[in-house]
Amino acid sequence: MSIDFTALAVPGVRGLHPYQPGKPIEELQRELGLDSIVKLASNENPLGPSPRAVAAARAALDEIHRYPDDNAHRLRHKLAARLGVAPGSLLFGNGSSDVIDMVARSFLGPGRNAVYAEHSFAMYAIYTRAAGAEGRVAPALPADHPAMPLGHELDALRAAIDADTRVLFIANPNNPTGTWLGRAALHDFLRAVPPEVVVLLDEAYTEYVEAPDFPDGLAWLGEFPNLIVTRTFSKIHGLAGLRVGYGVAGPELAALVARVRHPFNVNSTALAAAEAALDDAEHVARSVALNRAGLRQLEAGLAALGLRVLPSVGNFLCVDLGRPAGPVFDGLLRRGVIVRPVANYGLPNHLRISVGTAEENDRCLAALAEVLA
Ligand SMILES: *Cc1c(COP(=O)(O)O)cnc(C)c1O
């Protein structure tokens, strides 16, 4: 007898499609037997982690028979001092995705909803619906918007809020588009959000951003007790494989959300590596510089191929191919270049390309030129 597990699942899970990660390098090696593969699919740091973080992680391995410090004491105090916030304002997660999930599980459920923008990070919808709540999607700015095509449309986000809205997710800059919100516009928006709606401002890429009017959400925590800012060690710090991220909020909100935290959710190797990564400002600066040059290189190369690129301040670009992206993605794979299709984000003609080293970017551009020819 076969069992229909879909029918048995809670309603929110029945229609869910799992998150689609970037294709792992080993998987493509297995499939095509290629030996040289460039992966520009998951917004990872092409410089890798700081050597100091790796050394700290190695040293921590000697103690893995012990449970990690559940309070993340050392990382908490170092990071709090770095960010200029109270230690009690921090909430650590197994990646910042974990923090996003904790917020969803704390405030969402049947009869409630969360608001987020079209073409924004896929996990908002997944955690919202898994919690049994409704996801309300606010339309993005039009593709021909002169300043920020497909960016977050703040008026639409505000209009989507109703009496049952408990959480609003905003990514700044947004993934997969790379688009961003300026300081004044986002501040005005936060003032207009009802204070009973928890605003999760996802700043996974903030360390990369060099746009002059780009806001620092932490500056607003005092003004908006309903605000929680999330950040991660996965992107600029190159620690995606260890899974450590954090939220910053007023101590009351942080403590409330921590009620649903899994015990020991951040492992001891990750805690040690994250702490050491904070000490390597030079690695961060080199990562920012490499990204700046790589963004320019990719923007110029894609423009030379006649392609339109969405404005981006992150470590990735979203390019409009003007035709279905699937076959182009496959052609790139056959040439050993992994990028990210974003049809599941409602962008069937776009590909997202993470910024790599100069050589990786060149290889991606050359492969793309061949595939498009
Ligand atoms: C990568 C990313 C994250 C989180 O990644 P973690 O590895 O879970 O910290 C969160 N939000 C956005 C928008 C991202 O792109």
Side-chain angles (χ1 to χ4, degrees):
M1 194 185 84
S2 83
I3 301 171
D4 182 358
F5 288 107
T6 303
L8 294 173
V10 290
V13 171
R14 272 177 221 154
L16 274 190
H17 299 285
Y19 181 72
Q20 293 174 15
K23 194 175 185 65
I25 291 175
E26 270 190 44
E27 189 175 302
L28 187 62
Q29 270 165 344
R30 271 197 306 274
E31 289 170 3
L32 297 183
L34 297 171
D35 42 32
S36 161
I37 289 173
V38 170
K39 183 186 176 204
L40 301 175
S42 299
N43 301 344
E44 295 150 343
N45 187 334
L47 288 181
S50 156
R52 293 163 77 159
V54 175
R58 282 215 176 92
L61 289 178
D62 289 338
E63 292 292 322
I64 55 169
H65 58 300
R66 304 284 180 203
Y67 280 101
D69 175 5
D70 190 51
N71 189 41
H73 181 87
R74 289 210 313 270
L75 178 59
R76 177 182 299 277
H77 284 265
K78 184 178 273 190
L79 186 59
R82 176 68 53 87
L83 301 176
V85 302
S89 294
L90 290 170
L91 172 70
F92 290 96
N94 194 254
S96 57
S97 307
D98 187 24
V99 179
I100 298 169
D101 183 38
M102 283 187 251
V103 169
R105 284 186 289 122
S106 298
F107 292 101
L108 297 175
R112 301 174 173 211
N113 70 63
V115 168
Y116 41 82
E118 189 183 9
H119 318 305
S120 64
F121 189 46
M123 293 314 300
Y124 307 152
I126 291 179
Y127 293 139
T128 295
R129 293 164 64 188
E134 176 204 352
R136 288 172 67 95
V137 181
L141 291 170
D144 61 356
H145 189 273
M148 208 54 76
L150 302 182
H152 282 12
E153 151 90 278
L154 290 173
D155 290 337
L157 281 165
R158 190 161 37 209
I161 296 171
D162 69 10
D164 298 321
T165 303
R166 292 293 183 280
V167 180
L168 192 138
F169 296 106
I170 300 185
N172 200 33
N174 183 49
N175 171 19
T177 57
T179 53
W180 71 98
L181 295 161
R183 190 177 295 120
L186 186 52
H187 187 247
D188 287 350
F189 173 78
L190 291 174
R191 288 170 51 159
V193 172
E196 303 80 24
V197 175
V198 171
V199 177
L200 188 148
L201 178 59
D202 182 341
E203 295 189 338
Y205 301 95
T206 193
E207 298 91 344
Y208 280 112
V209 182
E210 301 189 289
D213 75 328
F214 189 79
D216 172 1
L218 301 183
W220 294 329
L221 288 172
E223 186 179 353
F224 303 110
N226 55 327
L227 178 63
I228 178 163
V229 176
T230 57
R231 294 187 181 176
T232 181
F233 285 89
S234 299
K235 305 287 160 63
I236 190 99
H237 293 293
L239 297 177
L242 285 179
R243 316 301 304 128
V244 52
Y246 56 96
V248 197
E252 264 180 78
L253 178 54
L256 186 283
V257 175
R259 291 182 188 183
V260 301
R261 186 174 64 80
H262 294 287
F264 311 112
N265 61 330
V266 184
N267 71 75
S268 44
T269 337
L271 289 172
E275 212 190 313
L278 287 177
D279 289 333
D280 199 343
E282 200 207 315
H283 184 262
V284 171
R286 264 197 298 142
S287 304
V288 172
L290 184 77
N291 189 64
R292 183 191 308 132
L295 267 181
R296 278 196 222 114
Q297 179 190 1
L298 285 173
E299 275 164 358
L302 293 166
L305 292 174
L307 300 175
R308 222 169 62 106
V309 166
L310 298 180
S312 173
V313 289
N315 65 344
F316 57 90
L317 279 175
C318 201
V319 58
D320 184 357
L321 302 174
R323 57 163 124 163
V328 179
F329 170 72
D330 290 336
L332 290 173
L333 282 185
R334 282 194 296 274
R335 288 162 178 80
V337 176
I338 312 174
V339 297
R340 189 70 154 266
V342 283
N344 56 326
Y345 287 88
L347 299 169
N349 290 353
H350 288 72
L351 287 175
R352 194 193 68 190
I353 304 173
S354 304
V355 175
T357 61
E359 302 77 63
E360 289 172 329
N361 300 333
D362 267 339
R363 210 171 128 194
C364 176
L365 290 167
L368 192 56
E370 272 182 40
V371 173
L372 293 176

